[in-house]
Amino acid sequence: MRRDEQVKTLKEELNAKYVLNQTSPTFIADLDELIKLLNPTVLFEYCGGDLAGKILEKMPPSSLMYIVGNLTFTPLVLSSGDMIFQAKSALSLYMPNWLKDQGAEAPKLLMRVSDDLRDGGKIFGTHTCKTMKLSQWREALE
């Protein structure tokens, strides 16, 4: 997030556990601690600029960045060293291109998602069935 009010809203109203303010002077240190704690390997990038590259640099080897947007309208800056020596990668995830690849099926797919979300999201909605500890991951998969 970019403002303390946004962080507060996400934590208090939506019960988000981990939310950082990218404008905080301690952002990079806070991010580093959070990455060490959670060990994330996938990053969805919406903004562009050099911040996404700095975040990817902190992530573990073989991490993957999906580039979804460019809200800042600035070039995305990535470390070639991370890509070469840490096996990190970036892929485009641009919905119009993906839909175009689906050909005649695209309108049907959009309608299916739209209908499901309108009717409560039984297929494409998010529903938490049970919360489990990370150490219980095998049980959770079952």
Short mmCIF file of all heavy atoms in Angstrom, two decimals, residues 39-94:
data_model
loop_
_atom_site.label_atom_id
_atom_site.label_comp_id
_atom_site.label_asym_id
_atom_site.label_seq_id
_atom_site.Cartn_x
_atom_site.Cartn_y
_atom_site.Cartn_z
N ASN A 39 8.56 -16.71 3.02
CA ASN A 39 9.23 -17.38 1.90
C ASN A 39 8.35 -17.44 0.64
O ASN A 39 8.16 -18.50 0.04
CB ASN A 39 9.66 -18.79 2.31
CG ASN A 39 10.72 -19.34 1.39
OD1 ASN A 39 11.61 -18.62 0.96
ND2 ASN A 39 10.63 -20.62 1.08
N PRO A 40 7.81 -16.30 0.19
CA PRO A 40 6.95 -16.31 -1.00
C PRO A 40 7.76 -16.55 -2.26
O PRO A 40 8.92 -16.16 -2.36
CB PRO A 40 6.36 -14.90 -1.00
CG PRO A 40 7.44 -14.06 -0.38
CD PRO A 40 8.05 -14.94 0.68
N THR A 41 7.16 -17.20 -3.24
CA THR A 41 7.86 -17.46 -4.50
C THR A 41 7.12 -16.93 -5.72
O THR A 41 7.57 -17.09 -6.84
CB THR A 41 8.09 -18.98 -4.68
OG1 THR A 41 6.84 -19.64 -4.61
CG2 THR A 41 9.03 -19.52 -3.60
N VAL A 42 5.96 -16.29 -5.51
CA VAL A 42 5.19 -15.71 -6.61
C VAL A 42 4.85 -14.27 -6.26
O VAL A 42 4.43 -13.97 -5.14
CB VAL A 42 3.89 -16.51 -6.88
CG1 VAL A 42 3.07 -15.85 -7.98
CG2 VAL A 42 4.21 -17.94 -7.26
N LEU A 43 5.04 -13.37 -7.21
CA LEU A 43 4.76 -11.94 -7.04
C LEU A 43 3.87 -11.49 -8.19
O LEU A 43 4.18 -11.75 -9.36
CB LEU A 43 6.08 -11.16 -7.05
CG LEU A 43 6.03 -9.65 -7.14
CD1 LEU A 43 5.34 -9.04 -5.91
CD2 LEU A 43 7.43 -9.08 -7.28
N PHE A 44 2.76 -10.84 -7.87
CA PHE A 44 1.91 -10.23 -8.90
C PHE A 44 2.22 -8.76 -8.94
O PHE A 44 2.04 -8.05 -7.94
CB PHE A 44 0.42 -10.48 -8.59
CG PHE A 44 0.02 -11.91 -8.79
CD1 PHE A 44 0.10 -12.81 -7.75
CD2 PHE A 44 -0.40 -12.35 -10.04
CE1 PHE A 44 -0.25 -14.14 -7.93
CE2 PHE A 44 -0.75 -13.67 -10.23
CZ PHE A 44 -0.67 -14.57 -9.18
N GLU A 45 2.71 -8.26 -10.06
CA GLU A 45 3.20 -6.90 -10.21
C GLU A 45 2.20 -6.06 -11.01
O GLU A 45 1.88 -6.39 -12.14
CB GLU A 45 4.57 -6.95 -10.89
CG GLU A 45 5.09 -5.70 -11.51
CD GLU A 45 4.95 -4.42 -10.72
OE1 GLU A 45 4.88 -4.44 -9.48
OE2 GLU A 45 4.89 -3.38 -11.35
N TYR A 46 1.72 -5.00 -10.38
CA TYR A 46 0.71 -4.13 -11.00
C TYR A 46 1.22 -2.73 -11.31
O TYR A 46 0.58 -2.00 -12.03
CB TYR A 46 -0.50 -3.98 -10.07
CG TYR A 46 -1.32 -5.23 -9.93
CD1 TYR A 46 -0.95 -6.24 -9.05
CD2 TYR A 46 -2.47 -5.42 -10.69
CE1 TYR A 46 -1.70 -7.39 -8.92
CE2 TYR A 46 -3.22 -6.58 -10.56
CZ TYR A 46 -2.83 -7.55 -9.68
OH TYR A 46 -3.57 -8.70 -9.56
N CYS A 47 2.35 -2.31 -10.72
CA CYS A 47 2.72 -0.90 -10.73
C CYS A 47 3.79 -0.49 -11.72
O CYS A 47 3.77 0.63 -12.21
CB CYS A 47 3.15 -0.48 -9.33
SG CYS A 47 1.79 -0.60 -8.15
N GLY A 48 4.77 -1.33 -12.01
CA GLY A 48 5.88 -0.92 -12.84
C GLY A 48 6.94 -0.24 -12.00
O GLY A 48 6.90 -0.26 -10.77
N GLY A 49 7.92 0.36 -12.65
CA GLY A 49 8.98 1.06 -11.92
C GLY A 49 10.01 0.11 -11.33
O GLY A 49 10.08 -1.06 -11.69
N ASP A 50 10.82 0.65 -10.42
CA ASP A 50 11.90 -0.15 -9.87
C ASP A 50 11.54 -0.91 -8.59
O ASP A 50 12.25 -1.81 -8.18
CB ASP A 50 13.14 0.70 -9.63
CG ASP A 50 12.92 1.80 -8.60
OD1 ASP A 50 11.77 2.05 -8.21
OD2 ASP A 50 13.92 2.42 -8.19
N LEU A 51 10.41 -0.57 -7.96
CA LEU A 51 10.06 -1.23 -6.70
C LEU A 51 9.83 -2.73 -6.87
O LEU A 51 10.29 -3.54 -6.06
CB LEU A 51 8.84 -0.57 -6.05
CG LEU A 51 8.43 -1.15 -4.70
CD1 LEU A 51 9.57 -1.05 -3.69
CD2 LEU A 51 7.19 -0.44 -4.18
N ALA A 52 9.15 -3.12 -7.93
CA ALA A 52 8.89 -4.55 -8.15
C ALA A 52 10.19 -5.32 -8.28
O ALA A 52 10.32 -6.43 -7.75
CB ALA A 52 8.03 -4.74 -9.39
N GLY A 53 11.16 -4.76 -8.96
CA GLY A 53 12.46 -5.41 -9.09
C GLY A 53 13.16 -5.54 -7.75
O GLY A 53 13.80 -6.56 -7.47
N LYS A 54 13.03 -4.52 -6.91
CA LYS A 54 13.63 -4.59 -5.57
C LYS A 54 12.96 -5.67 -4.73
O LYS A 54 13.62 -6.37 -3.96
CB LYS A 54 13.51 -3.23 -4.87
CG LYS A 54 14.39 -2.17 -5.47
CD LYS A 54 14.18 -0.83 -4.79
CE LYS A 54 15.03 0.24 -5.46
NZ LYS A 54 14.78 1.57 -4.90
N ILE A 55 11.65 -5.81 -4.89
CA ILE A 55 10.93 -6.86 -4.16
C ILE A 55 11.37 -8.23 -4.66
O ILE A 55 11.67 -9.12 -3.87
CB ILE A 55 9.40 -6.68 -4.29
CG1 ILE A 55 8.96 -5.39 -3.59
CG2 ILE A 55 8.66 -7.88 -3.73
CD1 ILE A 55 7.52 -4.99 -3.85
N LEU A 56 11.42 -8.40 -5.98
CA LEU A 56 11.83 -9.68 -6.55
C LEU A 56 13.25 -10.04 -6.12
O LEU A 56 13.54 -11.21 -5.85
CB LEU A 56 11.72 -9.65 -8.08
CG LEU A 56 11.94 -10.99 -8.79
CD1 LEU A 56 10.90 -12.03 -8.37
CD2 LEU A 56 11.93 -10.79 -10.30
N GLU A 57 14.13 -9.06 -6.02
CA GLU A 57 15.50 -9.31 -5.56
C GLU A 57 15.53 -9.92 -4.17
O GLU A 57 16.37 -10.75 -3.86
CB GLU A 57 16.32 -8.02 -5.56
CG GLU A 57 16.77 -7.58 -6.92
CD GLU A 57 17.57 -6.29 -6.89
OE1 GLU A 57 18.20 -5.99 -5.84
OE2 GLU A 57 17.55 -5.57 -7.89
N LYS A 58 14.61 -9.53 -3.31
CA LYS A 58 14.55 -10.02 -1.93
C LYS A 58 13.98 -11.44 -1.85
O LYS A 58 14.20 -12.14 -0.88
CB LYS A 58 13.68 -9.10 -1.06
CG LYS A 58 14.21 -7.70 -0.92
CD LYS A 58 15.31 -7.68 0.07
CE LYS A 58 15.82 -6.28 0.33
NZ LYS A 58 16.95 -6.32 1.24
N MET A 59 13.25 -11.85 -2.87
CA MET A 59 12.56 -13.14 -2.85
C MET A 59 13.54 -14.29 -3.09
O MET A 59 14.63 -14.08 -3.59
CB MET A 59 11.42 -13.14 -3.87
CG MET A 59 10.31 -12.17 -3.46
SD MET A 59 8.98 -12.00 -4.67
CE MET A 59 8.25 -13.62 -4.58
N PRO A 60 13.14 -15.51 -2.71
CA PRO A 60 14.02 -16.67 -2.85
C PRO A 60 14.33 -17.00 -4.31
O PRO A 60 13.62 -16.58 -5.22
CB PRO A 60 13.21 -17.81 -2.23
CG PRO A 60 12.06 -17.21 -1.54
CD PRO A 60 11.85 -15.85 -2.10
N PRO A 61 15.40 -17.79 -4.53
CA PRO A 61 15.70 -18.25 -5.89
C PRO A 61 14.49 -18.96 -6.51
O PRO A 61 13.66 -19.53 -5.81
CB PRO A 61 16.86 -19.24 -5.66
CG PRO A 61 17.51 -18.77 -4.40
CD PRO A 61 16.38 -18.26 -3.54
N SER A 62 14.42 -18.91 -7.81
CA SER A 62 13.35 -19.52 -8.61
C SER A 62 11.99 -18.87 -8.42
O SER A 62 10.97 -19.43 -8.80
CB SER A 62 13.24 -21.04 -8.33
OG SER A 62 14.46 -21.67 -8.65
N SER A 63 11.95 -17.67 -7.86
CA SER A 63 10.69 -16.95 -7.72
C SER A 63 10.20 -16.48 -9.08
O SER A 63 10.98 -16.28 -10.01
CB SER A 63 10.85 -15.75 -6.78
OG SER A 63 11.05 -16.19 -5.46
N LEU A 64 8.89 -16.30 -9.19
CA LEU A 64 8.25 -15.91 -10.45
C LEU A 64 7.42 -14.65 -10.24
O LEU A 64 6.64 -14.58 -9.30
CB LEU A 64 7.34 -17.05 -10.93
CG LEU A 64 6.40 -16.78 -12.09
CD1 LEU A 64 7.19 -16.43 -13.35
CD2 LEU A 64 5.51 -17.98 -12.34
N MET A 65 7.59 -13.69 -11.12
CA MET A 65 6.80 -12.46 -11.11
C MET A 65 5.83 -12.49 -12.29
O MET A 65 6.24 -12.69 -13.43
CB MET A 65 7.67 -11.22 -11.23
CG MET A 65 6.87 -9.93 -11.33
SD MET A 65 7.83 -8.49 -11.82
CE MET A 65 9.04 -8.41 -10.56
N TYR A 66 4.53 -12.33 -11.99
CA TYR A 66 3.54 -12.15 -13.04
C TYR A 66 3.30 -10.66 -13.20
O TYR A 66 2.92 -9.99 -12.25
CB TYR A 66 2.21 -12.84 -12.68
CG TYR A 66 2.24 -14.33 -12.81
CD1 TYR A 66 2.35 -15.14 -11.69
CD2 TYR A 66 2.16 -14.93 -14.07
CE1 TYR A 66 2.37 -16.52 -11.81
CE2 TYR A 66 2.19 -16.31 -14.20
CZ TYR A 66 2.30 -17.09 -13.07
OH TYR A 66 2.32 -18.45 -13.19
N ILE A 67 3.54 -10.15 -14.39
CA ILE A 67 3.34 -8.73 -14.67
C ILE A 67 1.92 -8.55 -15.16
O ILE A 67 1.55 -9.03 -16.24
CB ILE A 67 4.36 -8.22 -15.70
CG1 ILE A 67 5.77 -8.50 -15.20
CG2 ILE A 67 4.14 -6.74 -15.97
CD1 ILE A 67 6.83 -8.38 -16.27
N VAL A 68 1.09 -7.89 -14.35
CA VAL A 68 -0.33 -7.77 -14.61
C VAL A 68 -0.69 -6.38 -15.12
O VAL A 68 -1.64 -6.21 -15.85
CB VAL A 68 -1.13 -8.10 -13.32
CG1 VAL A 68 -2.62 -8.00 -13.55
CG2 VAL A 68 -0.77 -9.48 -12.82
N GLY A 69 0.06 -5.36 -14.72
CA GLY A 69 -0.26 -4.00 -15.12
C GLY A 69 0.94 -3.09 -15.00
O GLY A 69 2.05 -3.53 -14.69
N ASN A 70 0.71 -1.80 -15.23
CA ASN A 70 1.75 -0.78 -15.09
C ASN A 70 1.08 0.53 -14.68
O ASN A 70 0.95 1.45 -15.48
CB ASN A 70 2.54 -0.63 -16.38
CG ASN A 70 3.74 0.27 -16.21
OD1 ASN A 70 3.93 0.91 -15.18
ND2 ASN A 70 4.56 0.34 -17.24
N LEU A 71 0.62 0.58 -13.45
CA LEU A 71 -0.13 1.74 -12.97
C LEU A 71 0.68 3.03 -12.92
O LEU A 71 0.13 4.12 -12.98
CB LEU A 71 -0.73 1.44 -11.59
CG LEU A 71 -1.74 0.29 -11.55
CD1 LEU A 71 -2.13 -0.02 -10.12
CD2 LEU A 71 -2.96 0.63 -12.39
N THR A 72 2.01 2.92 -12.81
CA THR A 72 2.85 4.12 -12.75
C THR A 72 3.28 4.58 -14.14
O THR A 72 3.83 5.66 -14.28
CB THR A 72 4.12 3.87 -11.91
OG1 THR A 72 4.90 2.84 -12.55
CG2 THR A 72 3.78 3.48 -10.49
N PHE A 73 3.02 3.77 -15.15
CA PHE A 73 3.43 4.07 -16.53
C PHE A 73 4.92 4.33 -16.64
O PHE A 73 5.37 5.16 -17.42
CB PHE A 73 2.62 5.25 -17.10
CG PHE A 73 1.15 5.00 -17.12
CD1 PHE A 73 0.33 5.57 -16.15
CD2 PHE A 73 0.59 4.17 -18.07
CE1 PHE A 73 -1.04 5.33 -16.15
CE2 PHE A 73 -0.78 3.92 -18.07
CZ PHE A 73 -1.59 4.51 -17.10
N THR A 74 5.70 3.61 -15.82
CA THR A 74 7.16 3.70 -15.87
C THR A 74 7.73 2.33 -16.18
O THR A 74 7.09 1.31 -15.91
CB THR A 74 7.73 4.21 -14.53
OG1 THR A 74 7.33 3.32 -13.49
CG2 THR A 74 7.24 5.62 -14.21
N PRO A 75 8.93 2.28 -16.76
CA PRO A 75 9.51 0.98 -17.11
C PRO A 75 9.73 0.10 -15.87
O PRO A 75 10.09 0.59 -14.80
CB PRO A 75 10.85 1.34 -17.74
CG PRO A 75 10.70 2.75 -18.19
CD PRO A 75 9.76 3.40 -17.21
N LEU A 76 9.53 -1.17 -16.04
CA LEU A 76 9.79 -2.15 -15.00
C LEU A 76 11.29 -2.41 -14.99
O LEU A 76 11.89 -2.69 -16.02
CB LEU A 76 9.02 -3.43 -15.31
CG LEU A 76 9.13 -4.57 -14.32
CD1 LEU A 76 8.54 -4.17 -12.97
CD2 LEU A 76 8.41 -5.80 -14.86
N VAL A 77 11.91 -2.31 -13.82
CA VAL A 77 13.36 -2.48 -13.70
C VAL A 77 13.64 -3.77 -12.95
O VAL A 77 13.23 -3.92 -11.80
CB VAL A 77 13.99 -1.28 -12.95
CG1 VAL A 77 15.50 -1.45 -12.82
CG2 VAL A 77 13.65 0.03 -13.65
N LEU A 78 14.32 -4.70 -13.63
CA LEU A 78 14.65 -5.99 -13.04
C LEU A 78 16.15 -6.23 -13.09
O LEU A 78 16.83 -5.74 -13.98
CB LEU A 78 13.94 -7.12 -13.79
CG LEU A 78 12.42 -7.06 -13.84
CD1 LEU A 78 11.88 -8.17 -14.74
CD2 LEU A 78 11.84 -7.16 -12.45
N SER A 79 16.65 -7.03 -12.15
CA SER A 79 18.06 -7.39 -12.10
C SER A 79 18.33 -8.58 -13.00
O SER A 79 17.80 -9.67 -12.78
CB SER A 79 18.45 -7.73 -10.65
OG SER A 79 19.68 -8.41 -10.63
N SER A 80 19.18 -8.39 -14.00
CA SER A 80 19.53 -9.52 -14.87
C SER A 80 20.29 -10.58 -14.09
O SER A 80 20.18 -11.77 -14.37
CB SER A 80 20.34 -9.05 -16.08
OG SER A 80 21.52 -8.40 -15.66
N GLY A 81 21.04 -10.16 -13.06
CA GLY A 81 21.75 -11.12 -12.22
C GLY A 81 20.80 -12.06 -11.51
O GLY A 81 21.06 -13.26 -11.40
N ASP A 82 19.68 -11.52 -11.02
CA ASP A 82 18.68 -12.37 -10.38
C ASP A 82 18.09 -13.36 -11.38
O ASP A 82 17.85 -14.52 -11.04
CB ASP A 82 17.55 -11.52 -9.79
CG ASP A 82 17.80 -11.13 -8.36
OD1 ASP A 82 18.81 -11.57 -7.78
OD2 ASP A 82 16.97 -10.40 -7.81
N MET A 83 17.86 -12.90 -12.57
CA MET A 83 17.27 -13.76 -13.59
C MET A 83 18.24 -14.87 -13.99
O MET A 83 17.84 -16.02 -14.13
CB MET A 83 16.88 -12.95 -14.83
CG MET A 83 15.95 -11.80 -14.54
SD MET A 83 14.44 -12.35 -13.77
CE MET A 83 13.31 -11.19 -14.39
N ILE A 84 19.50 -14.53 -14.12
CA ILE A 84 20.49 -15.50 -14.58
C ILE A 84 20.95 -16.42 -13.44
O ILE A 84 20.92 -17.64 -13.57
CB ILE A 84 21.72 -14.78 -15.19
CG1 ILE A 84 21.29 -13.99 -16.44
CG2 ILE A 84 22.83 -15.77 -15.52
CD1 ILE A 84 22.32 -13.01 -16.94
N PHE A 85 21.38 -15.82 -12.34
CA PHE A 85 22.03 -16.60 -11.29
C PHE A 85 21.10 -17.13 -10.20
O PHE A 85 21.44 -18.06 -9.50
CB PHE A 85 23.15 -15.78 -10.65
CG PHE A 85 24.17 -15.31 -11.65
CD1 PHE A 85 24.33 -13.97 -11.92
CD2 PHE A 85 24.96 -16.23 -12.34
CE1 PHE A 85 25.26 -13.53 -12.84
CE2 PHE A 85 25.89 -15.80 -13.27
CZ PHE A 85 26.05 -14.44 -13.52
N GLN A 86 19.91 -16.54 -10.09
CA GLN A 86 18.95 -16.99 -9.08
C GLN A 86 17.74 -17.69 -9.70
O GLN A 86 16.80 -18.05 -9.00
CB GLN A 86 18.47 -15.80 -8.24
CG GLN A 86 19.56 -15.15 -7.41
CD GLN A 86 20.00 -16.04 -6.28
OE1 GLN A 86 19.17 -16.60 -5.58
NE2 GLN A 86 21.30 -16.17 -6.08
N ALA A 87 17.73 -17.83 -11.02
CA ALA A 87 16.66 -18.50 -11.76
C ALA A 87 15.29 -17.86 -11.51
O ALA A 87 14.27 -18.53 -11.53
CB ALA A 87 16.62 -20.00 -11.43
N LYS A 88 15.30 -16.56 -11.30
CA LYS A 88 14.02 -15.85 -11.14
C LYS A 88 13.51 -15.49 -12.52
O LYS A 88 14.28 -15.36 -13.47
CB LYS A 88 14.22 -14.59 -10.28
CG LYS A 88 14.63 -14.96 -8.86
CD LYS A 88 14.87 -13.75 -8.00
CE LYS A 88 15.37 -14.17 -6.62
NZ LYS A 88 15.65 -13.02 -5.77
N SER A 89 12.19 -15.34 -12.65
CA SER A 89 11.63 -15.06 -13.97
C SER A 89 10.41 -14.15 -13.86
O SER A 89 9.85 -13.97 -12.79
CB SER A 89 11.28 -16.35 -14.70
OG SER A 89 10.39 -17.12 -13.93
N ALA A 90 10.03 -13.60 -15.01
CA ALA A 90 8.87 -12.72 -15.09
C ALA A 90 8.06 -13.12 -16.32
O ALA A 90 8.62 -13.39 -17.38
CB ALA A 90 9.30 -11.27 -15.18
N LEU A 91 6.75 -13.15 -16.14
CA LEU A 91 5.83 -13.49 -17.23
C LEU A 91 4.72 -12.45 -17.30
O LEU A 91 4.28 -11.95 -16.27
CB LEU A 91 5.20 -14.86 -17.01
CG LEU A 91 6.09 -16.08 -17.06
CD1 LEU A 91 5.31 -17.31 -16.64
CD2 LEU A 91 6.64 -16.26 -18.47
N SER A 92 4.23 -12.20 -18.49
CA SER A 92 3.09 -11.32 -18.67
C SER A 92 1.81 -12.09 -18.40
O SER A 92 1.66 -13.24 -18.83
CB SER A 92 3.08 -10.79 -20.11
OG SER A 92 1.85 -10.17 -20.40
N LEU A 93 0.90 -11.46 -17.69
CA LEU A 93 -0.42 -12.04 -17.47
C LEU A 93 -1.44 -10.95 -17.80
O LEU A 93 -2.02 -10.32 -16.94
CB LEU A 93 -0.57 -12.50 -16.01
CG LEU A 93 -1.86 -13.21 -15.66
CD1 LEU A 93 -2.03 -14.47 -16.48
CD2 LEU A 93 -1.89 -13.55 -14.18
N TYR A 94 -1.60 -10.73 -19.10
CA TYR A 94 -2.48 -9.67 -19.59
C TYR A 94 -3.76 -10.31 -20.13
O TYR A 94 -3.74 -11.04 -21.12
CB TYR A 94 -1.75 -8.87 -20.67
CG TYR A 94 -2.51 -7.67 -21.16
CD1 TYR A 94 -2.96 -6.68 -20.28
CD2 TYR A 94 -2.75 -7.50 -22.51
CE1 TYR A 94 -3.64 -5.58 -20.74
CE2 TYR A 94 -3.44 -6.39 -22.98
CZ TYR A 94 -3.88 -5.44 -22.08
OH TYR A 94 -4.55 -4.34 -22.54
#
